[in-house]
Amino acid sequence: EINPRDVEAHTNLGNELKNLGRLDPAVASYCAALEINPDFAIAHYNLGVVLSELGQFDDAMTHYRRALDIQPEFAEAHGNLGKVLNDLGRLEDAVTSYRRALEIKPSIAETHYNLGNALNDLGRHADATASYGRALELRPEFAEAHSNLGNALQDLGRLDDAVLSYWRALDINPDYQEAHFNLGSTLQILGQFDAAE
């Protein structure tokens, strides 16, 4: 009210609304910020995040790309662009975006994990295991990375190693249903029917 052209205030309001799950008002706040300053990269990025959550992937991609036009070394925007491309089934493009994000900022475990997922979906299981491994070096308690590493190992025929990965995921999160299912399926393949129950 005091300063209606405060771009950061509009953006921060959008962030708080996003955190509260009020996505449509968050979109309005980010748009208000961008009306004042169309070159505010963080507002484009945050708008992309909310639009992704709303399933509006094409619009999200537009705002991530705009953020990157303004700030080409914005690693998180490259990473989130990769997630949108992945959601749109453009896996090779997603891999390119993830790799660019990691060139800029190699310490983001989530991006290594997402890269692993895209590589695994492309059938590049050995490369996927390397990406999951890097994610786990950065965040050893990353249950999803342990479980998906298990999937890649299973695809490579390394069933005993896959079982160990699923168990590690379940040590971290005992309620992780997908890891339970994958563990049971792998144990059955190994003929360990009692353990699979």
Side-chain angles (χ1 to χ4, degrees):
E1 289 176 359
I2 295 167
N3 183 3
R5 296 189 60 77
D6 187 332
V7 175
E8 291 190 7
H10 283 290
T11 303
N12 291 339
L13 175 59
N15 294 342
E16 293 305 316
L17 290 165
K18 175 171 67 73
N19 292 339
L20 291 168
R22 299 175 58 193
L23 301 185
D24 288 328
V27 167
S29 288
Y30 296 134
C31 287
L34 291 169
E35 283 177 20
I36 299 162
N37 181 1
D39 294 329
F40 194 34
I42 194 68
H44 281 289
Y45 169 79
N46 287 333
L47 180 54
V49 171
V50 175
L51 291 169
S52 293
E53 290 184 31
L54 289 167
Q56 298 177 30
F57 299 124
D58 288 327
D59 291 336
M61 186 163 49
T62 297
H63 286 283
Y64 289 138
R65 289 193 189 284
R66 183 68 186 113
L68 290 166
D69 287 342
I70 299 161
Q71 194 175 323
E73 301 297 299
F74 195 160
E76 291 80 2
H78 282 289
N80 279 18
L81 175 60
K83 287 171 69 175
V84 168
L85 291 164
N86 197 88
D87 288 335
L88 291 169
R90 295 172 55 183
L91 298 178
E92 292 287 1
D93 292 334
V95 166
T96 300
S97 287
Y98 294 140
R99 289 199 189 283
R100 183 67 187 113
L102 292 169
E103 285 173 10
I104 298 163
K105 196 170 182 179
S107 61
I108 308 175
E110 187 79 23
T111 305
H112 286 284
Y113 168 75
N114 289 332
L115 174 58
N117 291 340
L119 291 168
N120 211 39
D121 288 343
L122 285 165
R124 294 163 57 184
H125 308 302
D127 291 337
T129 62
S131 291
Y132 293 134
R134 185 67 185 119
L136 290 166
E137 287 173 16
L138 293 164
R139 197 196 316 171
E141 302 299 302
F142 196 160
E144 293 82 1
H146 281 289
S147 183
N148 284 11
L149 173 59
N151 295 341
L153 290 166
Q154 185 181 48
D155 289 329
L156 289 168
R158 296 171 54 187
L159 300 184
D160 291 329
D161 291 333
V163 166
L164 293 175
S165 289
Y166 296 136
W167 276 123
R168 184 69 186 108
L170 291 168
D171 285 341
I172 298 163
N173 180 4
D175 297 323
Y176 191 176
Q177 292 303 312
E178 187 176 341
H180 277 289
F181 176 81
N182 291 334
L183 173 61
S185 299
T186 307
L187 290 169
Q188 285 187 331
I189 294 168
L190 287 167
Q192 299 178 27
F193 301 107
D194 291 340
E197 292 179 359

